[in-house]
Amino acid sequence: MAKLLEGKPVAEKIKEQIKQSVQSLGFKPALASVMAGENAGSEAYVKSQKKVAEELGIDYRFSKLGPDTSEGKLVGFIEELNSDKSVNGVIVQLPLPAQIDYQKISGHICPDKDVEGMHPVNIGKLLLGKARIAPCTAGAVMELLNSTGTDLYGKEVVLVGHSEIVGKPLALLLLDKFATLTVCHIGTSRAGKLEEHVRRAEVLIVAVGKAGLIKGSWIKQGAIVIDVGINRVGDKIVGDVEFEEAQKRAAYITPVPGGVGPLTVTMLMRNLAEAAKAQQ
Ligand code: NAD
């Protein structure tokens, strides 16, 4: 039976380090958070960001713009935050209203204040192995893997999902650790090859957003399984992996909820502390 790989204990340890680095700054760093329009998921994420920020001695400044905010207006708002010396980091909550292109917006956040690591400059640094910070969810997955004490060098790692925000940055971080990496996506499924790749995985990471996509019977005995997916099924939240069956085979498995999720906000605050330190 697999050990549960829970995010909370890992997050608590990292929070202690963040508290120390915030204290050693000698000033209270500020994170500006911008939301446009209404979204229940973002509201919940913002609430947890505010709670963790306060816990760590970070000034959390939240602004909410209307659902019909134009791209130009949001860019203007971000530029004001860029030039505000009292702001150390800027995060724009997703999803944005349909009229706003996130890639354009993230490209306008000053790279030094980009705490999500999604500015093209920071993604470029990640590719070159020179990044100071990593996108939050990808960073959270790496911390969970690290907490198992597993050396990824030469390991068969299968990553399902290649989104800009999770899969692609995670692929770069895994390659940095010399994992033997296979990246699967919708094309792999359509070619009927997902199962054969998943069956070989010593480490399996799934970030798709489809409940039950990965059958428990596909999991290799002794594998580490990290399920990033969040899906609402009836009144329950589940991941992308059939948990009960997978748990019988894996050595470690993340619960959903309670695995990657609780670590993501902590990674955001670590990125903010790093940004504030670099700006000193
Ligand atoms: P996305 O929609 O941008 O990307 C989905 C990926 O899955 C793509 O690479 C796509 O090709 C692949 N895919 C789709 N259908 C597939 C199939 N049938 N077989 C194989 N691959 C398939 O999604 P995202 O933003 O990367 O998010 C993925 C999941 O992770 C979602 O459930 C999201 O809610 C969750 N998520 C969780 C956290 C967290 O903190 N826990 C953070 C971000 C995203």
Side-chain angles (χ1 to χ4, degrees), residues 148-164:
T148 67
T150 306
D151 186 0
L152 293 172
Y153 198 97
K155 279 260 154 46
E156 285 284 348
V157 178
V158 175
L159 167 61
V160 188
H162 78 320
S163 68
E164 272 71 43

Side-chain angles (χ1 to χ4, degrees), residues 137 160-167 184-189 194 206-210 213 228-231 240 260-261 264:
T137 309
V160 188
H162 78 320
S163 68
E164 272 71 43
I165 196 110
V166 185
C184 302
H185 41 66
I186 186 71
T188 320
S189 273
L194 186 60
V206 190
V208 172
K210 283 201 168 73
L213 175 72
V228 184
I230 302 173
N231 309 289
D240 295 337
V260 180
T264 312

